[in-house]
Amino acid sequence: MKFGYFDDRKKEYVITRPDTPKSWSNYLGSTEYGAIITNNAGGYSFYKSAAQGRFTRLRFNSIPMDQPGRYFYIYDIDKKDFWSASWQPVGKPLEKFKSECRHGTAYTVIRSEYDDIVSETLYFVPLNKNYEYWHLKLTNRDTEKRKLRIFTYVEYANNWNIQQDMNNLQYSQFIIKMDVIDNIIDHGTNVFMPPRPDDFQYSDQARHTFLALSGSKITGFDTDREAFLGTYGNYSKPLALERGFCSNSIAVGDNGCGVLQTDIALNPGETKELTVVMGIGKAEEEGRKALQELSHPDKVYAEFRKLVDYWHNRLEGLTAETPDELFNSMFNTWNPYNCMITYSWSRAASLVYSGERDGLGYRDTVQDMLGVLHLIPDEARERLELMITGQTSTGGAMPVVKPFAHKPGCETRPDEREYRSDDCLWLFNTIPAYVKETGDVGFYNKILPYSDEGEDTVFMHLKRAIEFNLKRSGKHGLPCGLAADWNDCLQLGHDGESVFVAFQLRYALHTFIEISDLLGEHSEKQWALSHLNNLDENIKKYGWDGEWFLRAYRADGLKFGSKENDEASIFLNPQSWSIISRHVNQEEGIRIMDTVKNRLLTDYGLLICDPPVENTDPNVNKSRVFNKGMKENASIFNHTQGWAVIAEAILGRGNIAYDYYKRFMPARYNDTAEIREIEPYVYSQFTHSKYSPRYGASRLPWLTGTASWAYFAASQYILGLQPDYYGIKISPCIPSYWNKVSVKRIFRKKLLDITILNNNKKECGVKQIILNGEKIESDFIPITKLKETNQITVYIE
Ligand code: IFM
């Protein structure tokens, strides 16, 4: 069943009916001022942090999943009927209420029609502002004049700290103080306390937000939640709407809300517009200023245009036209946009990440960056430096880095038991990718502090990451498991050993050798080479299980991911990474990936492991806490799918690589949205596998490492565009039935207009490249040969 479609020209996903199987959401704003909005106008807003800067409420895990939000209630004064400008929360019968939601790049438009009144609400955060607009346009399609009364609604947090607001009611219900100053609502918490601008995390300081309305005269207000909704009312039936007017309540203590009431009369065919502005600061200061900036509706449209141009220009940096339209929708808009949102909010703000996490998880963040480097290289460099300074002088990483609180050189070093074995090794994927994208080779020599003490060049930071894992190697000479090794559930113990991390370490050594060559660091190269040879020996001796690679060892020798295990006897990651790390040769790789196909493939992608864990001691594999077929317990864990695509592409099997890519591509499920349930335009953490009664349903949309790896796999391996230090390699690995692909890529400010021709229906192998009329001898184009604009034709064998 279909609930919407991709409008590629506008870069929008259009939801044509509002009763989607789950709330389908979008994000507004920036890393300064962020917001979530759903197709029914549910959601919440936050400043800097979704955990400690949350100033509006959403009640998590409720029915519906997305309430409350940013609502307009519309009341017909003569008929005494009311509805909302989004289908929910009032929820009029769908035979009478028509609604369409357009989720775009950092904006959402909800258009509805009920009883001859058309409403269209545009929600967005203007660029570089700490406030959001809700712009409402009302049109009367009736033959009679209509007298309408409009009410805004937002519910405020009592404390910007989500935990305090949601749980510590005996305290938080007594610190809110609402006010209305010059018709602007002031939402204050802890207002008698001094503000502490340099200590964002301190929750008991004075904070203010404002809510103002422009374009229509205010005729009433409510700031006390119960006064508006009624003690026994609810969002679908607020007391004030049943009565027809507000009570001008001022909440001091208990719970606050932002309701401004305004009357609008519309002649037949007439349209009127009004704008709400809600943001950070005091009503009489920032509120007044924001209102002044909103002199005319044209101002809103001008800001909106700027926002759309900003986002669309960003996304223009890499686009493709392939024979698969759904690939194009994902690749040109939704996947990079998904990467940007994940980069911005890590795992902290969604309808399921409810703010209990804060800051940037080390491994997740470093991986997330892979998806945005080409879009925002300067911003990404800053973030990369932040993460590098989250590495301690031991070479290991702080598990979480908080951008608003991080003090390099002064952070407490984590306890040995807290280090994850894989964290710093992700730097070997992201740092070279940054340097190759930008050509900023000097970055390797940049000196950055460690989180606790000391400093080093980026090159030496990388060396220390390797040393960290070498030093923490176990009995078999493989890296220790430590607190976790990407898979949070395997209980390897500190001294257990991870074969997956061994492949990461191999990848790190291999990459370090490449960088040493680049920098002319010969002794470092020799150092890395001897460790690489040693590691290869150990992997060969102890990592192989006969038909596939083991997943790990516990310190007492217990194996994970072995034919000796009745459950979870094979894991996907060590197989794909044996190829990514170049440990195995082509022939071995093909054998391994054939085994993967036989053992792990399902309709919706590859299982993370098989069979599921049902009897294994949870002290060995904690994924047993999950029902089988979910999360780390034999689900289709989407984060891992990109690695399998990359592995197949390295092996040159374009048909299989693309088949795997498509199986977890969200857009593929647009027509069966009732099965996938979540948004068909964004990636998710996992899909229920055949072991679950919900086979095919996906969960945890938006904030996931799946986004960056899917994008990286598509751009660097399927389309085969691999930036390098002194040029770019173009080596596609595509399905044989793709005869022509066009790609536009901005690379170091130069436009590459690429046509890939596959007349012989092959899967890979570049026969010839013609660059601006000149024949290139290999699949590598040196930067020196590139002009401002370049016509490139790539002929597949
Ligand atoms: O690698 C982790 C990630 O850090 C958080 N989500 C689950 C993944 C696998 O356990």
Side-chain angles (χ1 to χ4, degrees), residues 714-732:
S715 61
Q716 302 233 354
Y717 288 89
I718 295 174
L719 300 177
L721 270 61
Q722 300 185 357
D724 212 329
Y725 295 115
Y726 296 113
I728 187 163
K729 181 175 161 187
I730 307 181
S731 182

Side-chain angles (χ1 to χ4, degrees), residues 363-383:
R363 71 157 79 101
D364 293 337
T365 301
V366 176
Q367 292 173 77
D368 292 344
M369 295 183 65
L370 279 178
V372 303
L373 290 170
H374 69 294
L375 297 173
I376 47 162
D378 297 335
E379 204 182 316
R381 179 186 168 130
E382 264 179 54
R383 173 70 66 85

